[in-house]
CSV table of all heavy atoms in Angstrom, one decimal:
chain,number,residue,atom,x,y,z
A,1,GLU,N,6.2,5.5,-8.9
A,1,GLU,CA,6.4,4.1,-8.6
A,1,GLU,C,5.1,3.4,-8.2
A,1,GLU,O,4.2,4.0,-7.7
A,1,GLU,CB,7.4,3.9,-7.5
A,1,GLU,CG,7.1,4.6,-6.2
A,1,GLU,CD,8.1,4.5,-5.2
A,1,GLU,OE1,9.0,3.7,-5.3
A,1,GLU,OE2,8.0,5.3,-4.2
A,2,VAL,N,5.0,2.1,-8.5
A,2,VAL,CA,3.9,1.2,-8.2
A,2,VAL,C,4.4,-0.1,-7.6
A,2,VAL,O,5.4,-0.6,-8.1
A,2,VAL,CB,3.0,1.0,-9.4
A,2,VAL,CG1,1.9,0.1,-9.1
A,2,VAL,CG2,2.5,2.3,-9.9
A,3,GLY,N,3.7,-0.6,-6.7
A,3,GLY,CA,4.1,-1.9,-6.1
A,3,GLY,C,2.9,-2.7,-5.7
A,3,GLY,O,1.8,-2.2,-5.5
A,4,VAL,N,3.1,-4.1,-5.7
A,4,VAL,CA,2.0,-5.0,-5.2
A,4,VAL,C,2.6,-5.6,-3.9
A,4,VAL,O,3.7,-6.2,-3.9
A,4,VAL,CB,1.7,-6.1,-6.2
A,4,VAL,CG1,0.7,-7.0,-5.6
A,4,VAL,CG2,1.3,-5.5,-7.5
A,5,PHE,N,1.8,-5.4,-2.8
A,5,PHE,CA,2.1,-6.0,-1.5
A,5,PHE,C,1.2,-7.1,-1.2
A,5,PHE,O,0.0,-7.1,-1.4
A,5,PHE,CB,2.1,-4.9,-0.5
A,5,PHE,CG,3.2,-4.0,-0.5
A,5,PHE,CD1,3.2,-2.9,-1.3
A,5,PHE,CD2,4.3,-4.2,0.3
A,5,PHE,CE1,4.3,-2.0,-1.3
A,5,PHE,CE2,5.4,-3.3,0.3
A,5,PHE,CZ,5.4,-2.2,-0.5
A,6,MET,N,1.8,-8.1,-0.5
A,6,MET,CA,1.0,-9.2,0.0
A,6,MET,C,1.0,-9.1,1.6
A,6,MET,O,2.0,-8.8,2.1
A,6,MET,CB,1.7,-10.6,-0.3
A,6,MET,CG,1.7,-10.9,-1.8
A,6,MET,SD,2.6,-12.4,-2.3
A,6,MET,CE,2.5,-13.4,-0.9
A,7,ASP,N,-0.1,-9.5,2.2
A,7,ASP,CA,-0.2,-9.6,3.6
A,7,ASP,C,0.0,-8.3,4.4
A,7,ASP,O,0.5,-8.3,5.5
A,7,ASP,CB,0.8,-10.7,4.1
A,7,ASP,CG,0.5,-12.0,3.5
A,7,ASP,OD1,-0.7,-12.3,3.3
A,7,ASP,OD2,1.5,-12.8,3.3
A,8,THR,N,-0.5,-7.2,3.8
A,8,THR,CA,-0.5,-5.9,4.6
A,8,THR,C,-1.4,-6.0,5.8
A,8,THR,O,-2.5,-6.6,5.7
A,8,THR,CB,-1.0,-4.8,3.7
A,8,THR,OG1,-0.1,-4.6,2.6
A,8,THR,CG2,-1.1,-3.5,4.4
A,9,GLU,N,-1.0,-5.5,6.9
A,9,GLU,CA,-1.8,-5.4,8.1
A,9,GLU,C,-2.1,-3.9,8.4
A,9,GLU,O,-1.1,-3.2,8.5
A,9,GLU,CB,-1.2,-6.1,9.3
A,9,GLU,CG,-1.0,-7.6,9.1
A,9,GLU,CD,-0.2,-8.2,10.3
A,9,GLU,OE1,-0.3,-7.6,11.4
A,9,GLU,OE2,0.5,-9.2,10.0
A,10,VAL,N,-3.3,-3.6,8.4
A,10,VAL,CA,-3.7,-2.2,8.7
A,10,VAL,C,-4.1,-2.0,10.1
A,10,VAL,O,-4.4,-2.9,10.8
A,10,VAL,CB,-4.8,-1.7,7.7
A,10,VAL,CG1,-4.4,-1.8,6.3
A,10,VAL,CG2,-6.1,-2.5,8.0
A,11,SER,N,-4.1,-0.7,10.6
A,11,SER,CA,-4.4,-0.4,11.9
A,11,SER,C,-5.8,-0.9,12.3
A,11,SER,O,-6.8,-0.7,11.5
A,11,SER,CB,-4.3,1.1,12.1
A,11,SER,OG,-4.9,1.5,13.4
A,12,PRO,N,-6.0,-1.4,13.5
A,12,PRO,CA,-7.4,-1.8,13.9
A,12,PRO,C,-8.3,-0.6,14.1
A,12,PRO,O,-9.5,-0.8,14.1
A,12,PRO,CB,-7.1,-2.5,15.2
A,12,PRO,CG,-5.8,-2.1,15.7
A,12,PRO,CD,-5.0,-1.7,14.5
A,13,ASP,N,-7.7,0.6,14.1
A,13,ASP,CA,-8.5,1.8,14.2
A,13,ASP,C,-9.2,2.2,12.9
A,13,ASP,O,-10.1,3.1,12.8
A,13,ASP,CB,-7.7,3.0,14.7
A,13,ASP,CG,-7.1,2.7,16.1
A,13,ASP,OD1,-7.7,2.0,16.8
A,13,ASP,OD2,-6.0,3.3,16.4
A,14,CYS,N,-8.8,1.6,11.8
A,14,CYS,CA,-9.4,1.9,10.5
A,14,CYS,C,-10.8,1.3,10.4
A,14,CYS,O,-11.0,0.2,10.9
A,14,CYS,CB,-8.5,1.3,9.3
A,14,CYS,SG,-6.9,2.1,9.1
A,15,PRO,N,-11.7,2.1,9.8
A,15,PRO,CA,-13.1,1.6,9.8
A,15,PRO,C,-13.2,0.4,8.8
A,15,PRO,O,-12.5,0.2,7.8
A,15,PRO,CB,-13.9,2.8,9.2
A,15,PRO,CG,-12.9,3.7,8.7
A,15,PRO,CD,-11.6,3.4,9.3
A,16,ALA,N,-14.1,-0.5,9.2
A,16,ALA,CA,-14.4,-1.7,8.3
A,16,ALA,C,-14.8,-1.2,7.0
A,16,ALA,O,-15.6,-0.2,6.8
A,16,ALA,CB,-15.5,-2.6,9.0
A,17,GLY,N,-14.3,-1.9,5.9
A,17,GLY,CA,-14.7,-1.5,4.6
A,17,GLY,C,-13.8,-0.4,3.9
A,17,GLY,O,-13.9,-0.1,2.8
A,18,GLN,N,-12.9,0.1,4.7
A,18,GLN,CA,-11.9,1.1,4.1
A,18,GLN,C,-11.0,0.3,3.1
A,18,GLN,O,-10.6,-0.8,3.4
A,18,GLN,CB,-11.1,1.7,5.2
A,18,GLN,CG,-10.1,2.7,4.7
A,18,GLN,CD,-9.3,3.4,5.9
A,18,GLN,OE1,-9.8,3.5,7.0
A,18,GLN,NE2,-8.2,3.9,5.6
A,19,LEU,N,-10.8,0.9,2.0
A,19,LEU,CA,-10.0,0.3,0.9
A,19,LEU,C,-8.7,0.9,0.6
A,19,LEU,O,-7.8,0.3,0.0
A,19,LEU,CB,-10.9,0.2,-0.4
A,19,LEU,CG,-12.2,-0.5,-0.3
A,19,LEU,CD1,-13.0,-0.4,-1.6
A,19,LEU,CD2,-12.0,-2.0,0.0
A,20,TYR,N,-8.5,2.2,1.0
A,20,TYR,CA,-7.3,2.9,0.7
A,20,TYR,C,-6.6,3.3,2.0
A,20,TYR,O,-7.3,3.7,3.0
A,20,TYR,CB,-7.6,4.2,-0.1
A,20,TYR,CG,-6.3,5.0,-0.4
A,20,TYR,CD1,-5.5,4.6,-1.5
A,20,TYR,CD2,-5.9,6.1,0.3
A,20,TYR,CE1,-4.4,5.3,-1.9
A,20,TYR,CE2,-4.8,6.8,0.0
A,20,TYR,CZ,-4.0,6.4,-1.1
A,20,TYR,OH,-2.9,7.1,-1.5
A,21,PHE,N,-5.3,3.0,2.1
A,21,PHE,CA,-4.6,3.2,3.3
A,21,PHE,C,-3.3,4.1,3.1
A,21,PHE,O,-2.5,3.8,2.2
A,21,PHE,CB,-4.2,1.9,3.9
A,21,PHE,CG,-5.4,1.0,4.2
A,21,PHE,CD1,-5.8,0.1,3.2
A,21,PHE,CD2,-6.2,1.1,5.3
A,21,PHE,CE1,-6.9,-0.7,3.4
A,21,PHE,CE2,-7.3,0.3,5.5
A,21,PHE,CZ,-7.7,-0.6,4.5
A,22,ARG,N,-3.2,5.1,3.9
A,22,ARG,CA,-2.0,5.9,3.9
A,22,ARG,C,-0.9,5.2,4.8
A,22,ARG,O,-1.3,4.3,5.6
A,22,ARG,CB,-2.2,7.3,4.5
A,22,ARG,CG,-3.2,8.1,3.7
A,22,ARG,CD,-3.4,9.5,4.4
A,22,ARG,NE,-3.6,9.4,5.8
A,22,ARG,CZ,-4.7,9.2,6.5
A,22,ARG,NH1,-5.9,9.1,5.8
A,22,ARG,NH2,-4.8,9.2,7.8
A,23,PRO,N,0.4,5.5,4.6
A,23,PRO,CA,1.4,4.8,5.4
A,23,PRO,C,1.2,4.8,6.9
A,23,PRO,O,1.5,3.8,7.6
A,23,PRO,CB,2.7,5.5,5.0
A,23,PRO,CG,2.4,6.0,3.6
A,23,PRO,CD,0.9,6.4,3.6
A,24,ASP,N,0.6,5.9,7.5
A,24,ASP,CA,0.4,5.9,8.9
A,24,ASP,C,-0.8,5.0,9.4
A,24,ASP,O,-1.0,4.9,10.6
A,24,ASP,CB,0.1,7.4,9.4
A,24,ASP,CG,-1.1,8.0,8.8
A,24,ASP,OD1,-1.4,7.7,7.6
A,24,ASP,OD2,-1.8,8.8,9.5
A,25,GLU,N,-1.5,4.4,8.4
A,25,GLU,CA,-2.6,3.5,8.8
A,25,GLU,C,-2.2,2.1,8.6
A,25,GLU,O,-3.0,1.2,8.8
A,25,GLU,CB,-3.8,3.8,7.9
A,25,GLU,CG,-4.4,5.2,8.1
A,25,GLU,CD,-5.5,5.5,7.1
A,25,GLU,OE1,-5.2,5.3,5.9
A,25,GLU,OE2,-6.6,5.9,7.6
A,26,ILE,N,-0.9,1.8,8.4
A,26,ILE,CA,-0.4,0.5,8.1
A,26,ILE,C,0.5,0.1,9.3
A,26,ILE,O,1.5,0.8,9.6
A,26,ILE,CB,0.4,0.4,6.8
A,26,ILE,CG1,-0.6,0.7,5.6
A,26,ILE,CG2,1.1,-0.9,6.6
A,26,ILE,CD1,0.1,0.9,4.3
A,27,VAL,N,0.2,-1.1,9.9
A,27,VAL,CA,1.1,-1.5,11.0
A,27,VAL,C,2.1,-2.5,10.6
A,27,VAL,O,3.1,-2.7,11.2
A,27,VAL,CB,0.2,-2.1,12.2
A,27,VAL,CG1,-0.6,-1.0,12.8
A,27,VAL,CG2,-0.6,-3.2,11.8
A,28,ASN,N,1.9,-3.2,9.5
A,28,ASN,CA,2.8,-4.2,8.9
A,28,ASN,C,2.7,-4.1,7.4
A,28,ASN,O,1.6,-4.4,6.9
A,28,ASN,CB,2.6,-5.6,9.4
A,28,ASN,CG,3.6,-6.6,8.8
A,28,ASN,OD1,4.3,-6.3,7.9
A,28,ASN,ND2,3.5,-7.8,9.3
A,29,ALA,N,3.7,-3.6,6.7
A,29,ALA,CA,3.6,-3.4,5.3
A,29,ALA,C,3.4,-4.7,4.5
A,29,ALA,O,2.9,-4.7,3.4
A,29,ALA,CB,4.9,-2.7,4.8
A,30,GLY,N,3.8,-5.8,5.0
A,30,GLY,CA,3.7,-7.1,4.3
A,30,GLY,C,4.9,-7.2,3.4
A,30,GLY,O,6.0,-6.6,3.6
A,31,ARG,N,4.8,-8.0,2.4
A,31,ARG,CA,5.9,-8.3,1.5
A,31,ARG,C,5.6,-7.7,0.1
A,31,ARG,O,4.6,-7.8,-0.4
A,31,ARG,CB,6.1,-9.8,1.3
A,31,ARG,CG,6.5,-10.5,2.5
A,31,ARG,CD,6.9,-12.0,2.2
A,31,ARG,NE,7.3,-12.7,3.4
A,31,ARG,CZ,8.5,-12.7,3.9
A,31,ARG,NH1,9.4,-12.0,3.4
A,31,ARG,NH2,8.7,-13.4,5.0
A,32,LEU,N,6.7,-7.0,-0.4
A,32,LEU,CA,6.6,-6.4,-1.7
A,32,LEU,C,6.8,-7.5,-2.7
A,32,LEU,O,7.9,-8.1,-2.8
A,32,LEU,CB,7.7,-5.3,-1.9
A,32,LEU,CG,7.7,-4.6,-3.2
A,32,LEU,CD1,6.4,-3.9,-3.5
A,32,LEU,CD2,8.9,-3.6,-3.2
A,33,PHE,N,5.7,-7.8,-3.4
A,33,PHE,CA,5.7,-8.9,-4.4
A,33,PHE,C,6.2,-8.5,-5.8
A,33,PHE,O,7.0,-9.2,-6.4
A,33,PHE,CB,4.3,-9.5,-4.5
A,33,PHE,CG,4.0,-10.4,-5.7
A,33,PHE,CD1,4.6,-11.6,-5.8
A,33,PHE,CD2,3.2,-10.0,-6.7
A,33,PHE,CE1,4.4,-12.4,-6.9
A,33,PHE,CE2,2.9,-10.8,-7.7
A,33,PHE,CZ,3.6,-12.0,-7.8
A,34,ALA,N,5.9,-7.3,-6.2
A,34,ALA,CA,6.3,-6.8,-7.5
A,34,ALA,C,6.4,-5.3,-7.4
A,34,ALA,O,5.6,-4.7,-6.7
A,34,ALA,CB,5.3,-7.2,-8.6
A,35,ALA,N,7.3,-4.7,-8.2
A,35,ALA,CA,7.5,-3.2,-8.1
A,35,ALA,C,7.9,-2.7,-9.5
A,35,ALA,O,8.4,-3.5,-10.3
A,35,ALA,CB,8.5,-2.8,-7.1
A,36,GLN,N,7.5,-1.5,-9.8
A,36,GLN,CA,7.8,-0.9,-11.1
A,36,GLN,C,8.0,0.6,-10.9
A,36,GLN,O,7.3,1.3,-10.2
A,36,GLN,CB,6.6,-1.2,-12.0
A,36,GLN,CG,6.7,-0.5,-13.3
A,36,GLN,CD,5.4,-0.8,-14.2
A,36,GLN,OE1,4.5,-1.5,-13.8
A,36,GLN,NE2,5.4,-0.3,-15.4
A,37,ILE,N,9.0,1.1,-11.6
A,37,ILE,CA,9.2,2.5,-11.8
A,37,ILE,C,8.4,2.9,-13.0
A,37,ILE,O,8.5,2.3,-14.1
A,37,ILE,CB,10.7,2.9,-11.9
A,37,ILE,CG1,11.4,2.6,-10.7
A,37,ILE,CG2,10.8,4.4,-12.3
A,37,ILE,CD1,12.9,2.7,-10.8
A,38,LEU,N,7.5,3.9,-12.9
A,38,LEU,CA,6.7,4.3,-14.0
A,38,LEU,C,7.5,5.0,-15.1
A,38,LEU,O,8.3,5.9,-14.8
A,38,LEU,CB,5.6,5.2,-13.6
A,38,LEU,CG,4.6,4.6,-12.5
A,38,LEU,CD1,3.6,5.6,-12.0
A,38,LEU,CD2,3.9,3.4,-13.1
A,39,ASP,N,7.3,4.7,-16.4
A,39,ASP,CA,8.0,5.3,-17.5
A,39,ASP,C,7.8,6.8,-17.5
A,39,ASP,O,8.7,7.6,-17.7
A,39,ASP,CB,7.5,4.8,-18.8
A,39,ASP,CG,8.1,3.4,-19.1
A,39,ASP,OD1,9.2,3.1,-18.5
A,39,ASP,OD2,7.5,2.6,-19.8
A,40,GLU,N,6.5,7.2,-17.2
A,40,GLU,CA,6.2,8.7,-17.1
A,40,GLU,C,5.5,8.9,-15.8
A,40,GLU,O,4.6,8.2,-15.4
A,40,GLU,CB,5.2,9.1,-18.2
A,40,GLU,CG,5.8,8.9,-19.6
A,40,GLU,CD,6.9,10.0,-19.9
A,40,GLU,OE1,6.8,11.1,-19.4
A,40,GLU,OE2,7.7,9.7,-20.8
A,41,PRO,N,5.9,9.9,-15.0
A,41,PRO,CA,5.2,10.2,-13.7
A,41,PRO,C,3.7,10.5,-14.0
A,41,PRO,O,3.4,11.0,-15.0
A,41,PRO,CB,5.9,11.4,-13.2
A,41,PRO,CG,7.2,11.4,-13.8
A,41,PRO,CD,7.0,10.8,-15.2
A,42,ILE,N,2.9,10.1,-13.0
A,42,ILE,CA,1.5,10.4,-13.1
A,42,ILE,C,1.2,11.6,-12.2
A,42,ILE,O,1.5,11.5,-10.9
A,42,ILE,CB,0.6,9.2,-12.7
A,42,ILE,CG1,0.8,8.0,-13.6
A,42,ILE,CG2,-0.9,9.6,-12.6
A,42,ILE,CD1,0.2,6.7,-13.1
A,43,THR,N,0.7,12.7,-12.7
A,43,THR,CA,0.4,13.8,-11.9
A,43,THR,C,-1.1,13.7,-11.5
A,43,THR,O,-2.0,13.7,-12.4
A,43,THR,CB,0.7,15.1,-12.6
A,43,THR,OG1,2.0,15.2,-12.9
A,43,THR,CG2,0.3,16.3,-11.7
């Protein structure tokens, strides 16, 4: 699955410039704008 989120808020403990965030680094997921189930899983 893939989704596009708007207005995600990440933990203030994350270093400046970090671009990838795991769920435990997110304090507010924001709004799911678009979502898709992938036709074929990506391994």
Side-chain angles (χ1 to χ4, degrees):
E1 58 183 343
V2 175
V4 178
F5 283 85
M6 296 173 30
D7 300 327
T8 296
E9 295 175 30
V10 299
S11 169
D13 298 333
C14 292
Q18 181 174 336
L19 300 175
Y20 183 79
F21 303 94
R22 296 180 317 273
D24 64 322
E25 296 173 309
I26 297 169
V27 295
N28 180 350
R31 294 190 183 275
L32 180 60
F33 165 66
Q36 175 182 359
I37 297 171
L38 300 174
D39 284 335
E40 297 288 333
I42 297 171
T43 303

